[in-house]
Amino acid sequence: MNARSPITTHILDTAAGRPAAGVQVTLYRASATDDNAWDELATGRTDADGRVTDLVAPGTLDTGDYRLSFNVAAYFSANSRPSFYPSVTIDFTVAAADEHYHVPLLLSPYGYSTYRGS
């Protein structure tokens, strides 16, 4: 069995009823030296199923505060659809470095929601 990234995400375009493919996703970690800064760790792009599964190498996750930033404006523009939100940012806390953190995004042009998935 292949080890997977301890942080993964999945975007579903609820208005279109399909996965959101081609969305740029950036992972950040709260800076250890500046309370107001975030250090970029990785970038990825959602696959045809709306997933990014390779943001963090297995066994390298540290506890702390993390941020996922989704460039949804480019996704909606590429699909000739207007949207209200140019980006979606989700902050979350990794309390146990040995756990898997799946952060789904349910997206529409005028709203979004998220939760901790499995």
Side-chain angles (χ1 to χ4, degrees):
M1 180 169 131
N2 291 337
R4 65 178 170 176
S5 172
I7 297 176
T8 57
T9 190
H10 184 200
I11 308 174
L12 296 174
D13 182 336
T14 58
R18 64 177 182 256
V23 177
Q24 181 177 334
V25 179
T26 306
L27 176 67
Y28 301 90
R29 183 162 189 249
S31 174
T33 59
D34 182 347
D35 289 341
N36 298 315
W38 293 86
D39 298 325
E40 184 176 317
L41 298 180
T43 61
R45 192 166 295 277
T46 56
D47 63 15
D49 195 36
R51 297 179 185 275
V52 179
T53 59
D54 60 355
L55 290 170
V56 180
T60 64
L61 187 64
D62 293 319
T63 59
D65 293 332
Y66 288 80
R67 171 176 286 174
L68 282 169
S69 179
F70 302 85
N71 181 358
V72 298
Y75 166 75
F76 284 117
S77 179
N79 288 284
S80 302
R81 295 165 57 204
S83 68
F84 183 69
Y85 299 102
S87 64
V88 173
T89 300
I90 302 169
D91 294 349
F92 60 99
T93 300
V94 169
D98 61 340
E99 291 185 13
H100 177 242
Y101 293 84
H102 183 61
V103 185
L105 177 62
L106 304 176
L107 181 64
S108 74
Y110 300 100
Y112 62 87
S113 65
T114 187
Y115 57 95
R116 182 175 178 185
S118 58

